[in-house]
């Protein structure tokens, strides 16, 4: 038929490679722009300092994985394939089947950060898109990421981080504005 098959071949090969890693755990990536609080959010979920958080930007240069100790050994190969060099373990508890990866920012002044995010996104099982009141309508997340990746990722959520710093009315208006934009994306 003369159709270009390169993208399909890459997708097939990536899926085969991903299925080759045995584990009941799934990989959740925290994805967002510079300073939206991905590392701070992970540290809050963990209840401890898992990933460095700082006012200095960019802070996260390499992906950091927070993995359930019961799955750490079986996830080691998958994390290497994903390009995650740093792994912190947690007691299984309520997140016994989830490995959370804190990614570098996709709008960094360091181009390699975006490259890491772009390489990893097609390989994870779920994404939490982290936005904040200042960057929730940013073109990079909507134009470059949500339009491309959101239709292809089965499990995902958009998190309006730092909404606790807003009045309830402003937080509601921002959340509704974001929902409207997501429907248009």
């Amino acid at each position: 038929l003369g159709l270009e098959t390169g993208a399909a071949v890459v997708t097939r090969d990536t899926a085969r490679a991903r299925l080759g890693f045995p584990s009941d755990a799934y990989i959740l990536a925290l994805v967002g722009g510079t300073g939206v609080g991905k590392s701070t959010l992970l540290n809050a979920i963990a209840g401890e300092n898992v990933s460095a958080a700082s006012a200095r930007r960019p802070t996260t240069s390499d992906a950091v994985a927070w993995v359930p100790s019961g799955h750490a050994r079986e996830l080691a190969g998958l994390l290497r394939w994903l390009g995650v060099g740093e792994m912190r373990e947690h007691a299984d508890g309520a997140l016994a089947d989830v490995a959370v990866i804190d990614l570098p920012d996709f709008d960094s002044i360091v181009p390699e950060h975006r490259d890491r995010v772009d390489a990893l996104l097609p390989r994870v099982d779920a994404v939490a898109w982290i936005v904040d009141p200042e960057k929730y309508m940013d073109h990079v997340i909507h134009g470059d990421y949500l339009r491309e990746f959101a239709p292809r990722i089965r499990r995902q959520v958009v998190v309006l981080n730092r909404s606790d710093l807003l009045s309830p009315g402003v937080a509601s208006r921002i959340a509704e504005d974001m929902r409207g934009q997501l429907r248009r994306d």
Side-chain angles (χ1 to χ4, degrees):
L1 295 173
L3 298 174
E4 172 56 42
T5 60
V9 169
V10 169
T11 300
R12 179 202 62 206
D13 292 346
T14 300
R16 280 184 181 163
R18 175 63 176 91
L19 291 170
F21 295 103
S23 179
D24 291 337
Y26 71 90
I27 306 296
L28 168 67
L30 301 180
V31 182
T34 304
V36 297
K38 297 177 300 295
S39 300
T40 302
L41 182 61
L42 175 57
N43 292 340
I45 292 167
E48 62 181 312
N49 208 11
V50 173
S51 188
S54 164
R56 182 182 159 267
R57 304 288 183 250
T59 302
T60 305
S61 297
D62 296 306
V64 176
W66 186 61
V67 303
S69 56
H71 292 283
R73 289 182 66 162
E74 68 190 53
L75 287 172
L78 174 58
L79 292 173
R80 276 191 303 278
W81 180 69
L82 292 171
V84 177
E86 191 172 345
M87 179 173 64
R88 306 264 203 250
E89 294 182 30
H90 66 83
D92 293 348
L95 296 174
D97 295 329
V98 181
V100 181
I101 300 178
D102 179 23
L103 293 179
D105 46 344
F106 53 54
D107 61 354
S108 176
I109 59 170
V110 181
E112 293 81 16
H113 289 190
R114 183 177 181 134
D115 294 343
R116 286 186 190 105
V117 173
D118 290 352
L120 196 135
L121 270 177
R123 298 175 173 203
V124 298
D125 303 309
V127 174
W129 303 100
I130 312 301
V131 298
D132 70 4
E134 295 175 1
K135 296 179 92 171
Y136 77 97
M137 291 296 284
D138 187 80
H139 174 72
V140 175
I141 191 163
H142 289 281
D144 295 351
Y145 284 91
L146 289 173
R147 279 195 187 108
E148 179 179 347
F149 288 102
R152 301 182 341 198
I153 299 171
R154 186 167 168 231
R155 295 179 185 122
Q156 57 188 319
V157 65
V158 176
V159 177
L160 177 58
N161 202 16
R162 297 191 182 113
S163 61
D164 60 321
L165 302 176
L166 305 170
S167 71
V170 171
S172 293
R173 283 195 308 271
I174 289 175
E176 187 54 40
D177 195 30
M178 181 71 182
R179 278 194 276 296
Q181 181 62 40
L182 291 170
R183 283 189 289 272
R184 288 186 291 277
D185 285 346

